Amino acid sequence: MMRRLHLGVTARMLAVLVVLGLAIFPVYWMFVTALTSDQDLFGPSINVLPDFSRLNVFSEALADGQVVGWLTNSFVVAAGTTVLSIALGVPLGYALSRFGFRGKATVGLALLFTQMLPEALLVVPLFAVFRRFDLLNSLHGLILADTAFALPVVALILKGAIDGVPRDLDEAARVDGSNPPTVLFRIILPLIAPAIAAAAVIAFFSAWNEYVFAVTFVFDKSLQPASVGVAGFIGEQDTSIQSIMAVGLLFTLPAVAFYLFAQRYVVSGMTAGAVKG
């Protein structure tokens, strides 16, 4: 019996290690490729270990002012999209969860419907609207476009979390004289903090990786985010694979850092949004 138990635990650990290895391997291979010389990269043998004597490829990438500017632009757009999505998603989720109004079901379906449409389908009509309101070639215009796609997901996650808060708390606060905004900010928000963290991570990643709007709405290279800048490294005549891998790794670090900062809340927040509808 004990032997079967140990075999079961060992099998599960091996399965976890295999899945973990599959998830980490692409990032590891990017790191190895960035530190591989052209001679070894295109040679007959395959290097599976990084050559740390070539770490200067990362400092050279950072020495390029464009890369730092791209990363800064990506951070501004992702942070702005996250703040705006949460600021709009909290009252929207609260209204969908707590109040009855005409067209409420339609609003919920519309939020889901927006997630069915690919960005490529909306980029042309959005381009016309943004040009009419002078929002092209600006980071705040890109923040608005990314928020339009992140907001429905954020609102639905927060609605699910607010649904899980007992209505008795609302009624008790109302008896004490609190109005709906006070109930939302002083009673409900502290209770759904994990869901807010999970929604913030989703909004941040969505804006950080966004490419179609960024390459269409921003013309000035100094305003381009890193997702567009990295793609620009691929040239027709000369493409430095090591530089692409190095900048690609630098591109992932801020997103990973943000996830590690918020990861303690993410699992519980996603679970709350998934099981409480």
Side-chain angles (χ1 to χ4, degrees), residues 37-117:
S37 65
D38 285 337
Q39 183 179 1
D40 293 332
L41 188 62
F42 298 105
S45 60
I46 298 176
N47 290 336
V48 295
L49 297 176
D51 180 5
F52 290 102
S53 65
R54 295 178 53 82
L55 278 174
N56 60 325
V57 67
F58 292 98
S59 58
E60 290 174 356
L62 286 175
D64 187 345
Q66 276 191 324
V67 174
V68 178
W70 293 337
L71 293 173
T72 303
N73 294 336
S74 288
F75 181 79
V76 171
V77 172
T81 300
T82 303
V83 171
L84 189 57
S85 297
I86 296 298
L88 298 176
V90 166
L92 180 55
Y94 181 54
L96 291 173
S97 174
R98 288 297 197 257
F99 300 101
F101 53 87
R102 182 177 297 179
K104 178 179 176 179
T106 304
V107 172
L109 289 175
L111 291 176
L112 288 175
F113 185 71
T114 59
Q115 300 307 300
M116 309 299 174
L117 299 175

Side-chain angles (χ1 to χ4, degrees), residues 10 53 74 86 102 114 119 136 138-139 164 167 179 195 211 260 263 276:
T10 303
S53 65
S74 288
I86 296 298
R102 182 177 297 179
T114 59
E119 291 183 357
L136 295 176
S138 65
L139 294 183
R167 290 178 179 269
N179 54 28
Y211 176 80
L260 293 177
Q263 61 90 23
K276 298 171 182 176

Side-chain angles (χ1 to χ4, degrees), residues 83-227:
V83 171
L84 189 57
S85 297
I86 296 298
L88 298 176
V90 166
L92 180 55
Y94 181 54
L96 291 173
S97 174
R98 288 297 197 257
F99 300 101
F101 53 87
R102 182 177 297 179
K104 178 179 176 179
T106 304
V107 172
L109 289 175
L111 291 176
L112 288 175
F113 185 71
T114 59
Q115 300 307 300
M116 309 299 174
L117 299 175
E119 291 183 357
L121 189 65
L122 297 177
V123 67
V124 173
L126 275 180
F127 185 92
V129 173
F130 275 42
R131 184 176 61 179
R132 174 68 177 81
F133 291 98
D134 197 22
L135 292 172
L136 295 176
N137 203 31
S138 65
L139 294 183
H140 59 272
L142 199 54
I143 290 173
L144 287 177
D146 291 342
T147 300
F149 261 76
L151 179 60
V153 178
V154 170
L156 291 175
I157 289 175
L158 297 180
K159 175 191 177 300
I162 295 173
D163 286 344
V165 178
R167 290 178 179 269
D168 294 344
L169 296 178
D170 298 39
E171 295 171 359
R174 295 284 186 89
V175 171
D176 292 337
S178 299
N179 54 28
T182 303
V183 173
L184 173 62
F185 288 102
R186 300 190 64 177
I187 305 297
I188 294 179
L189 282 190
L191 297 176
I192 64 168
I196 293 177
V201 169
I202 291 174
F204 187 90
F205 280 9
S206 173
W208 184 264
N209 295 318
E210 201 284 326
Y211 176 80
V212 176
F213 291 154
V215 76
T216 306
F217 296 165
V218 177
F219 319 126
D220 191 342
K221 289 189 175 180
S222 65
L223 294 176
Q224 287 178 339
S227 58

Side-chain angles (χ1 to χ4, degrees), residues 38 41-42 232-244:
D38 285 337
L41 188 62
F42 298 105
F233 267 72
I234 303 175
E236 295 182 358
Q237 303 296 332
D238 183 22
T239 299
S240 174
I241 297 178
Q242 293 91 336
S243 297
I244 294 175

Side-chain angles (χ1 to χ4, degrees), residues 6-21:
H6 286 303
L7 288 175
V9 172
T10 303
R12 285 195 292 270
M13 290 182 63
L14 287 175
V16 170
L17 289 176
V18 169
V19 173
L20 187 63

